[in-house]
Amino acid sequence: MAPEPEGVSASKTLNKSSSLSSLRSSSSSLFRDSWFYWHVLPSEWDIFWLSTALKLLLFPAYRSTDFEVHRNWLAITHSLPISKWYYDTTSEWTLDYPPFFAYFEKLMSIPASFIDPKIVDLNNLNYDAWSVIAYQRVTVILTELVLGAVLLKFIRGSVDPPMQRIISASIFLHPGFLIVDHIHFQYNGFMYGILLWSILLARNGNKLASGILFAILLNFKHIYMYLAPAYFIYLLRSFCLSPTGHILIKNFLSLANAVIAIFVVSLGPFAIMGQIPQLLSRLFPFTRGLNHAYWAPNFWALVTAADRVLLKYAQITGAKFAINESGVASSSRGLVGDTVFAVLPNIRPIHTFIITVVFQLIWLVKLWRSPSYKSFLTALTLSGWTSFLFGWHVHEKAVLLILIPLSLLSAERHAYFRTFIIASVAGVFSLFPLIFTPAESIIKVTYSALWITAVYLPLSRRVYEYPISILYVIMDTLEKVYLSGFPFLMLFVSVFPLARSRPSPGPSAMEFLPLMATSIYCAIGLVWSFMRLGYIYLQEETKYQGQLSEIK
Amino acid sequence: MHKHDIKQWIVPGILAASTIVKFSIGLGTYSGYATPPMHGDYEAQRHWMELTVHLPFREWYTYDLLYWGLDYPPLTAYVSWLCGLVAHWIDPSWVALDKSRGIETPESKVFMRTTVVGFDALVYVPALLLFIQTWQGSRSKRTQDLALLTLILQPALLLIDFGHFQYNSVMLGFTLLAMNFFAMGNDLVGAFFFVLSLGFKQMALYYAPAIGSYLIAKCLYLGPTEGTHHFIRLGVVTASTFILLFLPWLPPFASFSAILQPIRRIFPFARGLFEDKVANFWCASNVVFKWKAWASSNTLVKLSTLFTALGFLPAVAGLVRAGMTMSTGDSSAAAKKNDDAPPAAPQMTEKKEPTPFLPLLPYALLTSSMSFFLFSFQVHEKTILLPLLPMTLLLSGAPIDSAAYSWGVLVNNVAVFSMWPLLKRDGLGVQYIATLLLWNRLIGHDPLKLRPKSFVQLLSMAVYAAAIALHLAEVVISAPARYPDIYPVLNVLISTPVFFLAWLWSIKCGVEVGWAVSGIGHHAQPSARQTSSEDAGGVTHSGLRQSGGRAVSLGYKRKSQQPQQPVTIEMDGAASRERGDKN
């Protein structure tokens, strides 16, 4: 809800009076760090209970096919032997997450079978009784407690607890989770809980455990591979090598063994059964197109849009370009399938791969040189960001891979904060098309607006910095203009379908215009803030030192 | 400066958050969802849009009465008409005459839900904001914000309006606006709004004894000359507003008998003493005493009317007595009465000054509406919303350890519980849990942490325990075939005593506040009286003396006294500290 001014200012003075180092040392005592020690403040309980109340109210909300996907997985894991999990095709929503997630579904299917045996009936497709809705929605809320617990732990022992409290609250109440988990239906709260837990362990200096948790996370959902390069370099440089560059063989072996052990637990059963190729084909379906059904707001959305514009230009002025006829009808339909460009050269998976790797390398080299916690966090964010912007067939939901780690940096300096705001506004807005039913749309928009206000107000006054150059002022103004465009985009997106349907109902070429507009406008913000963060990262040690820089 | 920035965002934030909650509740099912052929209240409201759009005025109250014939006063009909026009403009199939009966498309549902949120935002929300400004103007910002949250997220109203589907907040909002204008000393505008409330839903009659006797007391207070003028002005405003509302059914627009059409529909005396199970006196006592077998319907009507009148008599008497005792003949003498106010406060014009017995009004409203709920004829379980409004108003400004707070929370929670059979039928079980959780948490009330320090807390513990036990039993054991209604009946038996006691409490407070306000300037207060008046929602003698008759539990703002009194600040500070911990 509304931030508490008193609490913030009170704890701010507290923070000023006591030195940062003393706070850290007092909190790093065994007692405070123990996972059995919980001291939850009333305001933290408030956030938990109030958000839970809202999530309960969202039970009857719109559910995407992901709801049936997960119900089907409950049925698969419950009624089939493990050898058939990755082969079953009773439903079109086959199991395509790594084994830990399948085990997780298996675990959840046990209570489900007691509550209502029809939930786990393999042939009971599209079952939508109240029992299954309530059960699955409840599992999302309960597993999200992992996220809540980790975020609480983030506050304890942070460099600036009052700021971290705001950041933690903002992540727990993130509109991304509300839209994707509690309306659309997925288990991101749980997954990001594990990711943040791993990051927290890295912050607290427990790099081995951090690596282990990340390996576990990878075996829950393989999309976190986007972040793997940063993890790999960070652990290799700061855990397996000494600062002088000598290999620490004991560390290296313990990490390698632990990670291998996790993969054995996860994939072992399937390796014994000789199902690894089948499993991989489920996990990595390379038959999909460059863009997802609704273009994720990334670089390729801009390229696709440029292609459309060039095509229009060519059609109007008389073509000077070599037009690929199959591309003329292609991507404006916005359906799943291969995107074929009409004017620009076509993109192959290898192209996207090369661009991604090149950008990743920039951040990784930097990370290799300065493997501090803050550097790791930034590189992690940029790593996910690069994959999101340039990857092949990226889903819009993957934007959370950027927004969640970036949130941890948001109170660092004004530059980080600005990047965070632009990326968050654009990123959350880009999730809006997931929810297209009118009643839920009102909720998603109002909630997101409330969230960004509640995050912006306390953080902005904390990190405010006086503009230092005319260039800065120009940039600041342009960014404000960009951000103030979102209400108008919202207006366009909501009014356009109404205006269009009145004279001539039925599909037309303009049907996907609101989606395209959303995708392109958000892509601009996400590409820009990506460049911002990249620049900040490369200048980090000279110009953008902040409180997190204290953590070695 | 920045801090100020955040503070000014709190009220918009509360409004936005409450809108999210309202729409989220609206995602659920509603009264009569997927139950053809008659459906429920949702279909009734939608049907009225359909018939007001397509039929002339004279057919509104006569068209196919067996299928949800219009039985609310004209303002509801006009509002339906407006909604119907918009619906017709967006998609004519939503309100097509006869053909749209039972339409339940997702789009039409969203439209219907939006109309409720819209009219709530147009009437009830502004009324709440104005209430905070006028009645709690001298309280700290924090108390005001908390009061707004308490009122705007009141679970019973949320569940009925945005879940079950009705427009009660419009009626309640008009009554609240009337109260606000009374507090600002603008009785004529207040009377106008109260007539609008009556003209929206006849249920506002439950408040009529309190409002009427307040205005009469005001006339008495103003003295014979000024009072008579005031009475005539009020009469003219009230009558002309009624005439305006009913104009299409009056000559020259219709025949003389036409007015009987709406009147007959609005007051259906042909129905029984009670329908379904409702937590009032008749239904609860029916368990041991079968009223319907004992007496004819006619006798019961008379009996219930008598009981109701006796029930609200204390409120009426209290207000009239206050008006009489405080009247000093003419307006100049009345102005002198304010000598008790600090000399620094400049005198405002007499007309805009709130009357000193204004603090009695919320208690009188509570007594009156609760007595209607408990004793009158043909009461619905949803009607508990009417006593809940003054109860929650009293609660909204009360410190967490006051009696008003304890009673307010208990009555609110029990009211929601008493509607459980209805909500269960509507499929609003999750919303029931969620809104209760949300509201209790927000106001800092934890039923598990009650300490039996006072009677009301002991009562709360017992009632909560009984309610939870009943819910658990309902889940585990299905009702025996011999008593299919066992759970609703037990619900009534748990809820009725609470409402009954709340009614008694409101009378007690009314008497105490009456003593407190009319005692000013006459003689020193005996200490016994002071302790008892502290009970009454924190009305203390000293507070009253210093702020000139200002009830601390509400603390309406006198325009002449914008600077806060020291006593007030101290009490507010204590209240916000205590409640601040929880929030």
Side-chain angles (χ1 to χ4, degrees), chain B residues 67-148:
Chain B
Y67 190 80
W68 297 114
L70 183 57
D71 56 3
Y72 277 13
L75 192 54
T76 288
Y78 300 143
V79 164
S80 301
W81 190 23
L82 191 68
C83 295
L85 287 176
V86 177
H88 187 74
W89 178 73
I90 299 175
D91 186 345
S93 73
W94 295 345
V95 286
L97 190 61
D98 297 341
K99 286 193 183 114
S100 65
R101 287 186 183 185
I103 185 171
E104 290 189 314
T105 61
E107 292 81 17
S108 67
K109 179 187 166 190
V110 169
F111 171 75
M112 294 292 287
R113 294 289 198 198
T114 313
T115 61
V116 185
V117 178
F119 277 100
D120 177 81
L122 278 176
V123 182
Y124 191 59
V125 172
L128 287 182
L129 293 173
L130 195 59
F131 170 80
I132 307 284
Q133 262 179 32
T134 52
W135 287 77
Q136 300 187 328
S138 61
R139 312 299 298 272
S140 71
K141 184 80 176 69
R142 197 183 179 108
T143 314
Q144 291 185 7
D145 293 338
L146 204 59
L148 181 61

Side-chain angles (χ1 to χ4, degrees), chain B residues 88 103 136 160 223 243 332 346 433 436 478 519 553 570 580:
Chain B
H88 187 74
I103 185 171
Q136 300 187 328
I160 293 302
I243 289 171
S332 63
I433 298 167
L436 277 177
S478 54
S553 71
E570 195 183 301

Side-chain angles (χ1 to χ4, degrees), chain B residues 287-320:
Chain B
V287 175
V288 287
F289 194 90
K290 302 291 173 210
W291 293 101
K292 283 174 185 167
W294 177 76
S296 71
S297 175
N298 205 10
T299 320
L300 288 174
V301 171
K302 283 175 187 154
L303 194 65
S304 70
T305 312
L306 178 70
F307 273 38
T308 312
L310 286 175
F312 66 67
L313 196 61
V316 173
L319 276 166
V320 173

Side-chain angles (χ1 to χ4, degrees), chain A residues 183-197:
Chain A
I183 301 180
H184 176 92
F185 198 85
Q186 277 194 352
Y187 289 93
N188 288 293
F190 176 46
M191 300 292 137
Y192 281 91
I194 302 175
L195 175 67
L196 287 171
W197 191 0

